[in-house]
Amino acid sequence: MRLEIVAVGRRPPAWITEGFETFAARMPRHLPLGLREVNAGDARRSGDVVRARAQEADHLLSAVGDARLIALEETGKAWTTRDLADYLGDAMQQGDDLAFVIGGADGLDPRCLQAAERRWSLSALTLPHMLVRVVVAEQLYRAWTLLAGHPYHRG
């Protein structure tokens, strides 16, 4: 089983890369966490947001493959850490790969939302899409530690 964050954008600041890598490195060997970055839509340069999101959706959906798609989306459902741990535990039992999809600055195309098994909202706040990578990585690590009885999660 693999966990993968599939995200629009290829040049995050160093602190984002370091944050993601910190939590990815803590994941156990049987549950690796990867990051697949895709290009932002070319149409973004011309200001055509709809076309740019459609281009990004092509890249994102192609990168997801057969994994169960979870869309990070502001209107999605807020999960507790326990909710995420339960979802992760179920996927682990089934051996299903999970892909956590993060759109670009203008969010996800409706095709990504329709393809999603779940829509997950991290916060009522608007978060920078690059920062979402780090938050999701930390929460996946936290969910795994909860399942494993590791002391990292004490709540």
Side-chain angles (χ1 to χ4, degrees):
M1 171 181 188
R2 286 191 50 83
L3 303 174
E4 190 148 43
I5 295 175
V6 182
V8 172
R10 290 197 178 265
R11 288 187 291 260
W15 63 273
I16 294 288
T17 300
E18 183 179 339
F20 171 81
E21 289 175 356
T22 295
F23 293 106
R26 292 181 184 182
M27 295 297 289
R29 289 180 193 243
H30 69 277
L31 194 60
L33 174 60
L35 173 64
R36 183 169 298 183
E37 298 172 314
V38 302
N39 290 329
D42 292 338
R44 187 163 306 287
R45 289 187 204 112
S46 69
D48 189 342
V49 172
V50 172
R51 202 168 110 236
R53 283 194 320 204
Q55 291 169 337
E56 291 165 2
D58 292 339
H59 301 305
L60 291 166
L61 293 170
S62 176
V64 166
D66 294 333
R68 291 164 60 177
L69 192 158
I70 300 90
L72 277 291
E73 216 273 319
E74 67 183 350
T75 64
K77 183 177 186 248
W79 291 353
T80 64
T81 300
R82 172 50 70 185
D83 293 337
L84 179 58
D86 290 345
Y87 184 77
L88 180 60
D90 175 62
M92 289 171 65
Q93 285 184 344
Q94 295 180 30
D96 294 336
D97 292 339
L98 300 178
F100 296 85
V101 175
I102 303 167
D106 295 303
L108 290 168
D109 184 79
R111 286 184 296 141
C112 291
L113 299 176
Q114 290 167 353
E117 176 180 288
R118 301 266 176 110
R119 296 179 190 184
W120 178 18
S121 173
L122 294 179
S123 172
L125 300 171
T126 300
L127 300 175
H129 66 281
M130 290 286 186
L131 179 61
V132 171
R133 300 171 184 207
V134 178
V135 174
V136 171
E138 190 280 336
Q139 285 299 298
L140 288 169
Y141 175 70
R142 182 177 295 276
W144 174 78
T145 63
L146 182 58
L147 293 172
H150 186 281
Y152 181 83
H153 179 77
R154 292 180 190 78

